Amino acid sequence: MALNCQLTSLNGRIHRVEDSASPIRDEKGNIIGAIIVFHDVSESIAMAVKMSHLANHDQLTDLPNRILLHDRVAHACQVSVRNGFFVALMLIDIDHFKYLNDTEGHHVGDQIIKLVAKRLESIVDLNTTLARVGGDEFVLLLPDIKSPCHVDAVASDILYAMHQPFRVDGREFNLTISVGISINPTDSDSAELMMSHADAAMYKAKEHGRDRFCYFSDDLEHEFHQRQNIDKLLRNALEKDTLEVHFQPKLCLKNKLTIGAEALVRLRDEEGGFISPLHFIPLAEETGLINKLGHSVLKQSCRAAKRWLDKGHPIKVAVNVAAKQFTDPKFIESVAQILEDTELPSGYLELEVTESALMSDFDETSRILNGLSNLGLSIAIDDFGTGYSSLSYLKLFPVDVLKIDQSFVKDMVDDKQSLDIVKAITHLAHSLNLKIVGEGIETQAQLDTLISLECEEGQGFLFSKALPENEFENLIF
């Protein structure tokens, strides 16, 4: 029979021992004594305790991990049924952490994760569980909640606490977080549902501008499942190279001849219909798929432009570049390689970037744009007038084209303020020797107005929607 106990030596050191006793019998079977064997198991028990801790805690922050969190959430839900209280689960995600980690390096990223963990620990009470469940994701479990107002107060405190800068290696970093909240039993009855619902609510907080918290609802659940489905479709399309690129004609407004085309990516759903780019482009940026998506679109677009050129139709193709593509250190090299692989002269490629993409890091943006310009392609500012509108970059960056946002074009016929903005943009472009393109032209009145303002080029439904490559060729050739 094995018995576990501990012995204390004369010097006060405690030894964890395992002892076993076996009887000694005589020839007749009578017990005449016993043998007791002691084993010092202090090290093995300490190792078991350590291994158990490692299995249930995050190595970087020493916080509970997803395994231990799940057990505590499940237990809290069971207890809440008996006492009639609520359980709240908060999923906390650091905004734009991937960008920070990519640009500053993993050392800085790890230090920030540890600082965030310590700050969160400092503002929550001992009755809660704070866990790290992903790269930049934390979960706060609040058991025995008597009033939803308490959840609001805790979430607000967390948001406020994150507004204080974090110092790493003598530098300050300003962070914000997005928080998704699920409540048991009002919107979930299990640990799995609470995590799923908090995840959906967190993404809603990001969509609403970040630096805020959101609660789960039935609408959020629908959006969450829709998001998962789109993510699956997008990954499958990228893996099988089935993303489609459509082309919208860009015309010279004076003679109505097609002189260019804007490439627009299209993703089909299970039924063969199209999913709005407003849904899958932001998702690609959030999930880190935007570079792969952008590479696919650029390659297909350059191939098409080369085919048109070989057929005797020199048409420049314009391809949109997402802001996060600028964080790819090999972006210039990638563009150059695609031009070489497709044998497209660089003069037939135009890259469109938004104003917001230009303003994230002035020096890095300048380096990238100059590198791209040195390849011989042209740079267009898309949706001009809707972003930061800092005019300094028009002088300092190698910009060739300004595209008037379609919202101004749409309203300029009936709205004097919109018309004044279009006049100002065209005058600015002419004074800087930049080409000007009107987007979203849908009526003859809009076209006439742009022509009167000496806008050289335009595109819109008045001429054509974006078309598959074969239909585009049939229209213009």
Side-chain angles (χ1 to χ4, degrees):
M1 179 178 181
L3 299 173
N4 295 324
C5 62
Q6 64 183 35
L7 298 177
T8 303
S9 63
L10 292 176
N11 62 5
R13 183 179 177 184
I14 296 177
H15 298 268
R16 298 292 298 273
V17 298
E18 180 181 271
D19 57 275
S20 58
S22 298
I24 300 175
R25 300 179 185 274
D26 60 16
E27 296 177 352
K28 297 180 180 180
N30 299 318
I31 297 176
I32 59 175
I35 297 176
I36 301 177
V37 180
F38 292 92
H39 296 280
D40 188 339
V41 293
S42 300
E43 290 187 4
S44 59
I45 290 178
M47 180 60 69
V49 171
K50 182 178 180 180
M51 294 302 295
S52 176
H53 183 86
L54 289 175
N56 291 281
H57 290 77
D58 172 58
Q59 294 186 28
L60 181 63
T61 63
D62 204 38
L63 293 174
N65 61 15
R66 188 181 292 270
I67 297 172
L68 182 55
L69 173 69
H70 183 277
D71 290 341
R72 293 188 180 179
V73 174
H75 176 72
C77 289
Q78 292 174 357
V79 173
S80 71
V81 173
R82 296 196 298 267
N83 63 23
F85 293 156
F86 297 102
V87 176
L89 190 73
M90 296 184 181
L91 180 59
I92 303 165
D93 184 271
I94 303 174
D95 295 328
H96 303 300
F97 179 77
K98 185 179 185 303
Y99 175 80
L100 186 150
N101 207 34
D102 290 343
T103 55
E104 299 294 337
H106 293 289
H107 167 71
V108 172
D110 286 349
Q111 293 302 311
I112 287 177
I113 289 294
K114 289 195 286 187
L115 290 174
V116 169
K118 289 181 179 178
R119 189 170 296 181
L120 289 172
E121 283 185 296
S122 70
I123 60 176
V124 298
D125 60 48
L126 297 177
N127 193 37
T128 65
T129 294
L130 176 65
R132 183 186 179 211
V133 296
D136 63 330
E137 289 186 340
F138 298 85
V139 167
L140 184 64
L141 171 65
L142 304 175
D144 301 331
I145 299 296
K146 300 177 179 62
S147 169
C149 295
H150 177 66
V151 180
D152 275 24
V154 173
S156 297
D157 288 345
I158 292 174
L159 288 174
Y160 178 77
M162 292 299 115
H163 290 167
Q164 306 303 314
F166 292 85
R167 293 187 62 84
V168 176
D169 297 336
R171 300 168 59 196
E172 287 192 351
F173 294 88
N174 294 298
L175 302 178
T176 60
I177 58 173
S178 297
V179 182
I181 304 172
S182 176
I183 304 293
N184 169 276
T186 56
D187 62 49
S188 59
D189 57 7
S190 68
E192 291 80 5
L193 273 180
M194 290 195 80
M195 286 295 297
S196 177
H197 289 179
D199 195 41
M202 183 270 291
Y203 277 110
K204 190 66 174 180
K206 287 188 178 293
E207 290 174 4
H208 283 173
R210 297 178 168 83
D211 192 23
R212 67 192 64 221
F213 62 88
C214 284
Y215 287 87
F216 178 80
S217 69
D218 290 339
D219 290 339
L220 275 179
E221 183 173 27
H222 173 72
E223 289 184 23
F224 180 65
H225 290 311
Q226 185 182 45
R227 174 190 174 86
Q228 287 182 313
N229 183 55
I230 294 175
D231 180 69
K232 180 180 178 181
L233 289 170
L234 179 58
R235 292 179 185 275
N236 185 61
L238 288 170
E239 181 181 344
K240 297 181 177 179
D241 197 23
T242 56
L243 278 174
E244 298 180 29
V245 177
H246 290 192
F247 299 92
Q248 185 173 41
K250 187 186 300 181
L251 284 74
C252 172
L253 298 186
K254 288 185 178 180
N255 57 26
K256 306 301 185 296
L257 293 178
T258 299
I259 56 174
E262 180 178 0
L264 298 167
V265 63
R266 296 290 183 260
L267 174 66
R268 292 188 182 271
D269 58 24
E270 296 93 334
E271 287 75 36
F274 290 113
I275 297 171
S276 171
L278 296 176
H279 292 148
F280 71 84
I281 295 296
L283 180 61
E285 292 182 334
E286 291 177 14
T287 55
L289 296 174
I290 192 64
N291 288 334
K292 192 172 182 179
L293 184 150
H295 186 274
S296 175
V297 173
L298 183 60
K299 195 165 189 176
Q300 290 189 59
S301 302
C302 289
R303 284 174 177 169
K306 181 61 167 65
R307 283 192 290 268
W308 301 332
L309 183 62
D310 291 343
K311 293 179 181 180
H313 302 283
I315 294 176
K316 179 181 287 189
V317 63
V319 181
N320 292 282
V321 177
K324 289 196 174 181
Q325 288 181 262
F326 275 74
T327 64
D328 181 1
K330 296 184 178 180
F331 180 61
I332 300 174
E333 179 184 333
S334 175
V335 174
Q337 188 63 52
I338 289 175
L339 287 170
E340 181 179 340
D341 292 344
T342 59
E343 299 181 348
L344 176 69
S346 58
Y348 292 100
L349 175 63
E350 182 171 283
L351 296 182
E352 297 186 3
V353 295
T354 61
E355 291 176 285
S356 58
L358 299 179
M359 304 307 292
S360 57
D361 185 328
F362 188 90
D363 292 336
E364 180 66 6
T365 298
S366 180
R367 182 191 70 81
I368 293 173
L369 290 182
N370 279 291
L372 293 171
S373 182
N374 290 337
L375 295 177
L377 52 82
S378 57
I379 306 293
I381 307 300
D382 196 16
D383 302 334
F384 185 77
T386 62
Y388 292 94
S389 298
S390 174
L391 301 183
S392 62
Y393 64 71
L394 295 181
K395 177 182 177 181
L396 300 173
F397 293 160
V399 176
D400 305 290
V401 181
L402 295 185
K403 300 190 72 174
I404 306 173
D405 184 68
Q406 59 184 342
S407 62
F408 301 132
V409 173
K410 177 182 178 181
D411 297 335
M412 67 181 181
V413 175
D414 301 312
D415 179 58
K416 184 179 183 303
Q417 188 176 50
S418 294
L419 178 60
D420 289 341
I421 292 174
V422 174
K423 286 181 179 179
I425 294 174
T426 54
H427 179 73
L428 176 66
H430 292 147
S431 65
L432 295 174
N433 294 317
L434 302 177
K435 287 186 179 180
I436 189 79
V437 179
E439 294 183 294
I441 304 173
E442 298 182 354
T443 68
Q444 186 64 40
Q446 293 169 356
L447 174 60
D448 293 340
T449 301
L450 288 174
I451 292 176
S452 70
L453 296 174
E454 299 183 359
C455 177
E456 297 97 340
E457 301 173 9
Q459 62 189 88
F461 287 174
L462 180 64
F463 310 119
S464 173
K465 64 179 183 180
L467 301 169
E469 185 178 343
N470 61 330
E471 294 183 28
F472 177 84
E473 293 180 357
N474 293 334
L475 176 69
I476 65 172
F477 299 162

mmCIF file of all heavy atoms in Angstrom, residues 55-79:
data_model
loop_
_atom_site.group_PDB
_atom_site.id
_atom_site.type_symbol
_atom_site.label_atom_id
_atom_site.label_comp_id
_atom_site.label_asym_id
_atom_site.label_seq_id
_atom_site.Cartn_x
_atom_site.Cartn_y
_atom_site.Cartn_z
ATOM 1 N N ALA A 55 1.431 23.753 -18.977
ATOM 2 C CA ALA A 55 0.347 23.306 -19.853
ATOM 3 C C ALA A 55 -0.872 24.212 -19.764
ATOM 4 O O ALA A 55 -1.700 24.232 -20.679
ATOM 5 C CB ALA A 55 -0.046 21.874 -19.498
ATOM 6 N N ASN A 56 -0.972 24.959 -18.680
ATOM 7 C CA ASN A 56 -2.173 25.772 -18.459
ATOM 8 C C ASN A 56 -1.915 27.274 -18.461
ATOM 9 O O ASN A 56 -2.841 28.049 -18.200
ATOM 10 C CB ASN A 56 -2.832 25.373 -17.138
ATOM 11 C CG ASN A 56 -3.453 23.999 -17.179
ATOM 12 O OD1 ASN A 56 -4.543 23.819 -17.707
ATOM 13 N ND2 ASN A 56 -2.750 23.015 -16.638
ATOM 14 N N HIS A 57 -0.674 27.662 -18.732
ATOM 15 C CA HIS A 57 -0.344 29.087 -18.697
ATOM 16 C C HIS A 57 0.462 29.492 -19.930
ATOM 17 O O HIS A 57 1.182 28.685 -20.519
ATOM 18 C CB HIS A 57 0.438 29.428 -17.426
ATOM 19 C CG HIS A 57 -0.373 29.361 -16.175
ATOM 20 N ND1 HIS A 57 -0.699 28.154 -15.569
ATOM 21 C CD2 HIS A 57 -0.957 30.336 -15.421
ATOM 22 C CE1 HIS A 57 -1.428 28.388 -14.496
ATOM 23 N NE2 HIS A 57 -1.598 29.709 -14.373
ATOM 24 N N ASP A 58 0.303 30.739 -20.310
ATOM 25 C CA ASP A 58 1.028 31.317 -21.436
ATOM 26 C C ASP A 58 2.477 31.576 -21.034
ATOM 27 O O ASP A 58 2.751 32.158 -19.984
ATOM 28 C CB ASP A 58 0.349 32.622 -21.858
ATOM 29 C CG ASP A 58 1.149 33.385 -22.884
ATOM 30 O OD1 ASP A 58 1.420 32.818 -23.955
ATOM 31 O OD2 ASP A 58 1.506 34.554 -22.622
ATOM 32 N N GLN A 59 3.423 31.154 -21.863
ATOM 33 C CA GLN A 59 4.842 31.255 -21.501
ATOM 34 C C GLN A 59 5.342 32.696 -21.473
ATOM 35 O O GLN A 59 6.215 33.032 -20.680
ATOM 36 C CB GLN A 59 5.685 30.437 -22.478
ATOM 37 C CG GLN A 59 5.439 28.938 -22.390
ATOM 38 C CD GLN A 59 6.388 28.136 -23.258
ATOM 39 O OE1 GLN A 59 7.504 28.565 -23.514
ATOM 40 N NE2 GLN A 59 5.936 26.983 -23.719
ATOM 41 N N LEU A 60 4.808 33.562 -22.339
ATOM 42 C CA LEU A 60 5.306 34.936 -22.402
ATOM 43 C C LEU A 60 4.831 35.778 -21.220
ATOM 44 O O LEU A 60 5.603 36.532 -20.630
ATOM 45 C CB LEU A 60 4.874 35.593 -23.716
ATOM 46 C CG LEU A 60 5.350 37.029 -23.948
ATOM 47 C CD1 LEU A 60 6.873 37.073 -24.020
ATOM 48 C CD2 LEU A 60 4.734 37.597 -25.229
ATOM 49 N N THR A 61 3.547 35.652 -20.865
ATOM 50 C CA THR A 61 2.961 36.512 -19.828
ATOM 51 C C THR A 61 2.691 35.797 -18.516
ATOM 52 O O THR A 61 2.395 36.446 -17.514
ATOM 53 C CB THR A 61 1.629 37.098 -20.328
ATOM 54 O OG1 THR A 61 0.702 36.011 -20.559
ATOM 55 C CG2 THR A 61 1.823 37.867 -21.634
ATOM 56 N N ASP A 62 2.762 34.465 -18.523
ATOM 57 C CA ASP A 62 2.433 33.631 -17.370
ATOM 58 C C ASP A 62 0.969 33.735 -16.969
ATOM 59 O O ASP A 62 0.576 33.348 -15.870
ATOM 60 C CB ASP A 62 3.323 33.959 -16.160
ATOM 61 C CG ASP A 62 3.417 32.783 -15.191
ATOM 62 O OD1 ASP A 62 3.476 31.639 -15.673
ATOM 63 O OD2 ASP A 62 3.395 33.009 -13.971
ATOM 64 N N LEU A 63 0.144 34.251 -17.864
ATOM 65 C CA LEU A 63 -1.300 34.278 -17.629
ATOM 66 C C LEU A 63 -1.905 32.928 -17.981
ATOM 67 O O LEU A 63 -1.316 32.154 -18.759
ATOM 68 C CB LEU A 63 -1.954 35.362 -18.483
ATOM 69 C CG LEU A 63 -1.623 36.823 -18.165
ATOM 70 C CD1 LEU A 63 -2.256 37.738 -19.213
ATOM 71 C CD2 LEU A 63 -2.082 37.201 -16.769
ATOM 72 N N PRO A 64 -3.085 32.616 -17.448
ATOM 73 C CA PRO A 64 -3.784 31.410 -17.895
ATOM 74 C C PRO A 64 -3.928 31.402 -19.416
ATOM 75 O O PRO A 64 -4.117 32.456 -20.031
ATOM 76 C CB PRO A 64 -5.140 31.516 -17.202
ATOM 77 C CG PRO A 64 -4.872 32.322 -15.968
ATOM 78 C CD PRO A 64 -3.817 33.312 -16.369
ATOM 79 N N ASN A 65 -3.820 30.212 -20.009
ATOM 80 C CA ASN A 65 -3.998 30.114 -21.453
ATOM 81 C C ASN A 65 -5.417 29.653 -21.780
ATOM 82 O O ASN A 65 -6.291 29.594 -20.910
ATOM 83 C CB ASN A 65 -2.948 29.190 -22.073
ATOM 84 C CG ASN A 65 -3.038 27.756 -21.532
ATOM 85 O OD1 ASN A 65 -4.036 27.372 -20.908
ATOM 86 N ND2 ASN A 65 -2.003 26.980 -21.765
ATOM 87 N N ARG A 66 -5.635 29.335 -23.051
ATOM 88 C CA ARG A 66 -6.984 28.980 -23.499
ATOM 89 C C ARG A 66 -7.528 27.735 -22.793
ATOM 90 O O ARG A 66 -8.721 27.641 -22.510
ATOM 91 C CB ARG A 66 -6.972 28.761 -25.011
ATOM 92 C CG ARG A 66 -8.343 28.585 -25.631
ATOM 93 C CD ARG A 66 -8.227 28.359 -27.124
ATOM 94 N NE ARG A 66 -7.759 29.548 -27.803
ATOM 95 C CZ ARG A 66 -8.549 30.494 -28.276
ATOM 96 N NH1 ARG A 66 -9.864 30.402 -28.115
ATOM 97 N NH2 ARG A 66 -8.048 31.534 -28.906
ATOM 98 N N ILE A 67 -6.648 26.775 -22.480
ATOM 99 C CA ILE A 67 -7.094 25.530 -21.837
ATOM 100 C C ILE A 67 -7.648 25.806 -20.448
ATOM 101 O O ILE A 67 -8.759 25.377 -20.103
ATOM 102 C CB ILE A 67 -5.928 24.525 -21.753
ATOM 103 C CG1 ILE A 67 -5.463 24.143 -23.169
ATOM 104 C CG2 ILE A 67 -6.352 23.277 -20.982
ATOM 105 C CD1 ILE A 67 -4.193 23.299 -23.175
ATOM 106 N N LEU A 68 -6.875 26.520 -19.643
ATOM 107 C CA LEU A 68 -7.322 26.829 -18.285
ATOM 108 C C LEU A 68 -8.521 27.770 -18.310
ATOM 109 O O LEU A 68 -9.455 27.628 -17.502
ATOM 110 C CB LEU A 68 -6.170 27.460 -17.494
ATOM 111 C CG LEU A 68 -6.442 27.811 -16.030
ATOM 112 C CD1 LEU A 68 -6.946 26.607 -15.263
ATOM 113 C CD2 LEU A 68 -5.179 28.376 -15.373
ATOM 114 N N LEU A 69 -8.522 28.712 -19.233
ATOM 115 C CA LEU A 69 -9.646 29.643 -19.341
ATOM 116 C C LEU A 69 -10.940 28.896 -19.614
ATOM 117 O O LEU A 69 -11.978 29.190 -19.005
ATOM 118 C CB LEU A 69 -9.383 30.659 -20.452
ATOM 119 C CG LEU A 69 -10.559 31.590 -20.773
ATOM 120 C CD1 LEU A 69 -10.801 32.562 -19.622
ATOM 121 C CD2 LEU A 69 -10.315 32.351 -22.071
ATOM 122 N N HIS A 70 -10.891 27.931 -20.526
ATOM 123 C CA HIS A 70 -12.107 27.189 -20.878
ATOM 124 C C HIS A 70 -12.700 26.517 -19.647
ATOM 125 O O HIS A 70 -13.926 26.541 -19.439
ATOM 126 C CB HIS A 70 -11.775 26.147 -21.944
ATOM 127 C CG HIS A 70 -12.967 25.374 -22.428
ATOM 128 N ND1 HIS A 70 -13.456 24.266 -21.753
ATOM 129 C CD2 HIS A 70 -13.788 25.564 -23.500
ATOM 130 C CE1 HIS A 70 -14.505 23.791 -22.386
ATOM 131 N NE2 HIS A 70 -14.737 24.563 -23.454
ATOM 132 N N ASP A 71 -11.839 25.913 -18.825
ATOM 133 C CA ASP A 71 -12.341 25.251 -17.604
ATOM 134 C C ASP A 71 -13.003 26.257 -16.672
ATOM 135 O O ASP A 71 -14.064 25.985 -16.094
ATOM 136 C CB ASP A 71 -11.192 24.552 -16.878
ATOM 137 C CG ASP A 71 -10.682 23.331 -17.636
ATOM 138 O OD1 ASP A 71 -11.421 22.837 -18.502
ATOM 139 O OD2 ASP A 71 -9.555 22.893 -17.362
ATOM 140 N N ARG A 72 -12.388 27.435 -16.523
ATOM 141 C CA ARG A 72 -12.944 28.430 -15.605
ATOM 142 C C ARG A 72 -14.236 29.044 -16.137
ATOM 143 O O ARG A 72 -15.140 29.338 -15.356
ATOM 144 C CB ARG A 72 -11.897 29.520 -15.346
ATOM 145 C CG ARG A 72 -10.699 28.994 -14.572
ATOM 146 C CD ARG A 72 -9.743 30.081 -14.146
ATOM 147 N NE ARG A 72 -8.617 29.546 -13.399
ATOM 148 C CZ ARG A 72 -7.621 30.270 -12.923
ATOM 149 N NH1 ARG A 72 -7.629 31.601 -13.119
ATOM 150 N NH2 ARG A 72 -6.629 29.708 -12.257
ATOM 151 N N VAL A 73 -14.312 29.225 -17.456
ATOM 152 C CA VAL A 73 -15.557 29.749 -18.028
ATOM 153 C C VAL A 73 -16.676 28.740 -17.853
ATOM 154 O O VAL A 73 -17.808 29.092 -17.476
ATOM 155 C CB VAL A 73 -15.365 30.096 -19.529
ATOM 156 C CG1 VAL A 73 -16.705 30.506 -20.145
ATOM 157 C CG2 VAL A 73 -14.356 31.212 -19.705
ATOM 158 N N ALA A 74 -16.378 27.468 -18.142
ATOM 159 C CA ALA A 74 -17.395 26.428 -17.992
ATOM 160 C C ALA A 74 -17.884 26.345 -16.546
ATOM 161 O O ALA A 74 -19.094 26.224 -16.281
ATOM 162 C CB ALA A 74 -16.825 25.084 -18.441
ATOM 163 N N HIS A 75 -16.945 26.419 -15.597
ATOM 164 C CA HIS A 75 -17.325 26.375 -14.174
ATOM 165 C C HIS A 75 -18.166 27.599 -13.803
ATOM 166 O O HIS A 75 -19.185 27.473 -13.097
ATOM 167 C CB HIS A 75 -16.069 26.324 -13.309
ATOM 168 C CG HIS A 75 -16.348 26.373 -11.840
ATOM 169 N ND1 HIS A 75 -16.904 25.324 -11.142
ATOM 170 C CD2 HIS A 75 -16.156 27.376 -10.911
ATOM 171 C CE1 HIS A 75 -17.040 25.648 -9.875
ATOM 172 N NE2 HIS A 75 -16.596 26.893 -9.707
ATOM 173 N N ALA A 76 -17.771 28.773 -14.279
ATOM 174 C CA ALA A 76 -18.514 29.999 -13.963
ATOM 175 C C ALA A 76 -19.933 29.929 -14.515
ATOM 176 O O ALA A 76 -20.875 30.385 -13.853
ATOM 177 C CB ALA A 76 -17.784 31.209 -14.530
ATOM 178 N N CYS A 77 -20.096 29.359 -15.702
ATOM 179 C CA CYS A 77 -21.438 29.236 -16.282
ATOM 180 C C CYS A 77 -22.314 28.289 -15.458
ATOM 181 O O CYS A 77 -23.504 28.546 -15.259
ATOM 182 C CB CYS A 77 -21.332 28.742 -17.726
ATOM 183 S SG CYS A 77 -20.652 29.952 -18.886
ATOM 184 N N GLN A 78 -21.714 27.198 -14.978
ATOM 185 C CA GLN A 78 -22.470 26.256 -14.153
ATOM 186 C C GLN A 78 -22.910 26.908 -12.846
ATOM 187 O O GLN A 78 -24.056 26.744 -12.394
ATOM 188 C CB GLN A 78 -21.616 25.021 -13.860
ATOM 189 C CG GLN A 78 -21.334 24.164 -15.085
ATOM 190 C CD GLN A 78 -20.357 23.037 -14.771
ATOM 191 O OE1 GLN A 78 -19.839 22.929 -13.654
ATOM 192 N NE2 GLN A 78 -20.075 22.210 -15.773
ATOM 193 N N VAL A 79 -22.005 27.655 -12.223
ATOM 194 C CA VAL A 79 -22.323 28.321 -10.958
ATOM 195 C C VAL A 79 -23.391 29.387 -11.159
ATOM 196 O O VAL A 79 -24.283 29.571 -10.318
ATOM 197 C CB VAL A 79 -21.053 28.947 -10.348
ATOM 198 C CG1 VAL A 79 -21.400 29.793 -9.129
ATOM 199 C CG2 VAL A 79 -20.052 27.860 -9.981
#
